[in-house]
Amino acid sequence: MTTPDPDGLLAEQLLRLTRRVHRIQKRHLERRDLGVTPAQSRLLRTLAHYGSPPRMADLAERLEVVPRAVTTLVDGLEASGKVRRAPDPANRRVTRIELTDEGRATLRELHGARRSAAEEILAPLTEKERQVFGVLLDALIDGDATKPC
């Protein structure tokens, strides 16, 4: 007879929740017919956090992906008019990635899609449960680097 593994159950629940979140977010993106994939959505949101247009290498580092992945994402977003490549004024060998007006409009729509997806995901929880869940998520996201392994 095997002993129940509570950490294994929690890990499975966390993975199932992650898959559900991705499925619901993807559905909300598709409903709005924005023409962006979840990965492109993430790149657009990341671009919005820069004070000035970043280099592709900066995006790759921030997104924690290989530079080639960023190139593919930027190619698709550029083809749809949501971003543009611009030369760096200080170094002509460097290309910067800028949001276009269409990209900013898409970001506003993405924000709405993410909000409605979050509302759907959190619908089963009471307000108090949402507060507790938020505290628990913060603990998991931030981790505690000071705790010994």
Side-chain angles (χ1 to χ4, degrees), residues 34 44 77 79-84 99-109:
L34 298 174
L44 286 173
L77 289 168
S80 66
K82 293 172 178 56
V83 302
R84 72 176 147 257
L99 277 171
T100 62
D101 289 341
E102 186 173 337
R104 282 186 275 285
T106 299
L107 269 172
R108 286 189 292 277
E109 285 292 319

Side-chain angles (χ1 to χ4, degrees), residues 39-47 50 56-66 69-70 73-74:
Q40 289 173 331
S41 164
R42 185 171 173 234
L43 187 135
L44 286 173
R45 290 190 322 272
T46 301
L47 262 176
Y50 281 93
M56 301 265 261
D58 299 329
L59 288 169
E61 185 178 328
R62 174 87 56 97
L63 293 168
E64 298 178 341
V65 298
V66 296
V70 171
L73 293 172
V74 168

Side-chain angles (χ1 to χ4, degrees), residues 5-139:
D5 178 7
D7 289 339
L9 175 60
L10 282 173
E12 181 59 29
Q13 288 173 307
L14 183 59
L15 292 172
R16 288 175 54 210
L17 176 60
T18 301
R19 286 191 299 267
R20 182 170 185 257
V21 167
H22 285 284
R23 246 188 347 267
I24 290 171
Q25 285 183 335
K26 185 176 178 185
R27 188 174 70 241
H28 281 261
L29 279 175
E30 289 169 351
R31 276 187 196 155
R32 291 182 185 239
D33 197 27
L34 298 174
V36 295
T37 66
Q40 289 173 331
S41 164
R42 185 171 173 234
L43 187 135
L44 286 173
R45 290 190 322 272
T46 301
L47 262 176
H49 285 69
Y50 281 93
S52 61
R55 300 172 308 138
M56 301 265 261
D58 299 329
L59 288 169
E61 185 178 328
R62 174 87 56 97
L63 293 168
E64 298 178 341
V65 298
V66 296
R68 178 68 189 121
V70 171
T71 300
T72 301
L73 293 172
V74 168
D75 287 348
L77 289 168
E78 187 175 40
S80 66
K82 293 172 178 56
V83 302
R84 72 176 147 257
R85 287 175 167 90
D88 185 308
N91 183 346
R92 64 188 182 108
R93 293 175 297 167
V94 174
T95 300
R96 303 263 175 192
I97 308 303
E98 300 176 333
L99 277 171
T100 62
D101 289 341
E102 186 173 337
R104 282 186 275 285
T106 299
L107 269 172
R108 286 189 292 277
E109 285 292 319
L110 287 170
H111 179 74
R114 287 170 57 86
R115 188 164 218 26
S116 61
E119 288 171 7
E120 180 180 338
I121 292 161
L122 298 172
L125 302 179
T126 66
E127 187 57 38
K128 179 66 178 164
E129 289 169 332
R130 288 176 186 210
Q131 290 172 0
V132 170
F133 188 54
V135 169
L136 295 171
L137 284 174
D138 282 343

